Amino acid sequence: MLNNLFGAFSHDIGIDLGTANTLVFVRNKGVVINEPSVVAINNTTKQVLAIGSSAERMVGKTPANITASRPLVDGVVSDFEVTEAMLKYFIDRVHEETLSFLPRPRCVIGIPSGVTEVEKRAVEDAAKNAGARDVYLIEEPMAAAIGVKLPIQEAAGNAIVDIGGGTSEIAIISLGGIVQSKSVRVAGDKFNDDIIQFVKEQMGIIIGERTAERIKLEVGAVYPLKEEIHTIVKGRDVVTGLPREEYITNVMVETALDKSSKIVAESVQSTIESTPPELVTDIIEKGIMLAGGGALLRGMDDLISHFTQIQVHVVDDPLSAVVRGTGIILDDIDSLKDVFVNVEDYQVPD
């Protein structure tokens, strides 16, 4: 009863704690924060200098005593203290205009499926130390399915693929539970790395992560397009070390991403192959739902459809599917409590 009373006054939030971006949903307000999961730290004093968009602008441009990096790798916490600082920053931003005596928020946080109990505990502890009153964890594909309003409670198969920054999550859902799932650590960040390597090896130009991301957005493709598109790649010549620029096309990027994109598509295919036949029948009728930033990569839906022989639908606003799911859960935590991930008590060995 007391928790329900607190819930009526606190600004409960849903968080998509992503490798590349963190999105925050506030109950009754919608998505209020969408910023890069980047933190800039002074290595000498250990002081946090910037978080989010301001920190991202520093990537690749900092002096030796400042590091701008991501505290999450492949969707899981790699630096506990920095993750805690980032969560505290976002939680405080939500509450900055509220009265200090109001209760701290309950948090629903999306995490990759297949993470260990230790990794789950790290996220839960970081959120609580950052100021959350209660923390509920939910697997990202389940949150995405709820966010795109799939009928997950029905006795029918629902297929969702969430391609984020660090991981690609595939899940078959029925009767409110995940029947079959797979998490592969090949997603947006790996695509950027592939572009960096291709440009260096095939074009003789060294580029950074932000340039690779721009190329991916402007001409990125994983399946043949009807018309060729191109953009300019600017970087440092491998031989001379001087600035150089060349054209890069969608065909070249498709070649760069060929291996990684097929790993994602084959993972979807293998998940479908291990799904009970009755559920596959439902999926054939409904199609596969594609969410996450990777859903915006040209031809990703066609590539997965080619491998699975099932129609693939890119959901509306795929980038916010997970965080919208956490928002829906916040409105009805009691009836959707079965979708949460239970964190078992874990004692660190001596």
Side-chain angles (χ1 to χ4, degrees):
M1 182 182 295
L2 187 59
N3 204 39
N4 289 336
L5 181 62
F6 281 164
F9 292 99
S10 68
H11 284 187
D12 293 342
I13 62 178
I15 301 176
D16 177 8
L17 191 61
T19 303
N21 294 282
T22 295
L23 288 82
V24 179
F25 184 105
V26 178
R27 194 175 58 171
N28 300 323
K29 289 187 177 181
V31 180
V32 297
I33 296 173
N34 181 358
E35 293 200 23
S37 303
V38 182
V39 179
I41 295 178
N42 186 315
N43 297 322
T44 305
T45 64
K46 303 303 179 183
Q47 178 186 3
V48 175
L49 302 177
I51 296 174
S53 299
S54 56
E56 187 191 39
R57 289 192 288 270
M58 300 180 184
V59 174
K61 302 178 181 180
T62 58
N65 67 317
I66 296 176
T67 301
S69 60
R70 297 175 179 174
L72 292 104
V73 176
D74 296 333
V76 297
V77 174
S78 64
D79 190 318
F80 180 86
E81 292 182 356
V82 177
T83 300
E84 182 182 316
M86 185 175 72
L87 281 170
K88 186 177 188 304
Y89 168 76
F90 291 131
I91 291 173
D92 285 347
R93 274 184 59 183
V94 170
H95 275 249
E96 63 185 1
E97 296 180 356
T98 64
L99 299 175
S100 60
F101 62 79
L102 289 180
R104 302 301 288 176
R106 293 180 297 179
C107 291
V108 176
I109 303 178
I111 60 171
S113 58
V115 299
T116 66
E117 295 300 326
V118 180
E119 290 166 340
K120 294 173 189 173
R121 177 65 71 186
V123 174
E124 184 182 36
D125 289 347
K128 284 185 176 179
N129 290 341
R133 185 171 85 252
D134 294 309
V135 179
Y136 307 93
L137 305 180
I138 180 173
E139 293 176 320
E140 288 172 350
M142 177 66 81
I146 294 171
V148 301
K149 298 183 178 178
L150 289 178
I152 63 164
Q153 304 285 10
E154 296 180 4
N158 299 278
I160 185 141
V161 179
D162 176 28
I163 305 175
T167 61
S168 293
E169 310 282 330
I170 306 116
I172 311 299
I173 301 169
S174 178
L175 288 172
I178 294 178
V179 178
Q180 199 68 240
S181 69
K182 180 171 286 192
S183 178
V184 290
R185 298 191 174 185
V186 177
D189 287 348
K190 182 63 171 69
F191 297 154
N192 288 345
D193 290 342
D194 290 343
I195 292 171
I196 290 171
Q197 289 302 313
F198 178 88
V199 170
K200 180 180 179 181
E201 295 172 3
Q202 302 299 320
M203 304 178 70
I205 301 175
I206 299 173
I207 62 172
E209 184 180 337
R210 293 184 66 182
T211 299
E213 178 72 16
R214 178 184 62 80
I215 292 170
K216 184 177 69 177
L217 292 174
E218 293 181 1
V219 298
V222 295
Y223 205 75
L225 304 181
K226 293 180 180 179
E227 295 183 4
E228 186 174 285
I229 54 177
H230 66 267
T231 190
I232 295 176
V233 53
K234 300 178 181 180
R236 191 174 76 240
D237 188 280
V238 172
V239 178
T240 67
L242 298 175
R244 186 171 140 223
E245 60 181 54
E246 295 282 352
Y247 280 108
I248 185 169
T249 68
N250 62 286
V251 177
M252 298 165 74
V253 177
E254 185 185 332
T255 301
L257 303 182
D258 182 69
K259 183 177 180 181
S260 294
S261 61
K262 285 182 178 176
I263 288 175
V264 175
E266 287 169 352
S267 297
V268 180
Q269 180 186 26
S270 65
T271 304
I272 295 293
E273 288 173 348
S274 57
T275 298
E278 293 298 327
L279 296 182
V280 173
T281 301
D282 298 329
I283 294 167
I284 292 172
E285 293 177 359
K286 298 177 182 179
I288 298 170
M289 301 300 159
L290 185 58
L296 300 176
L297 194 55
R298 297 169 185 84
M300 183 59 77
D301 52 344
D302 293 325
L303 181 68
I304 294 174
S305 181
H306 174 76
F307 271 78
T308 62
Q309 299 300 302
I310 298 173
Q311 190 171 6
V312 177
H313 308 285
V314 177
V315 304
D316 293 335
D317 194 8
L319 285 167
S320 68
V322 171
V323 78
R324 281 186 282 127
T326 65
I328 292 171
I329 293 166
L330 283 171
D331 285 334
D332 199 4
I333 283 183
D334 290 336
S335 66
L336 290 170
K337 61 185 178 182
D338 290 341
V339 303
F340 294 132
V341 176
N342 293 322
V343 181
E344 297 176 359
D345 290 334
Y346 176 83
Q347 297 294 330
V348 178
D350 293 329

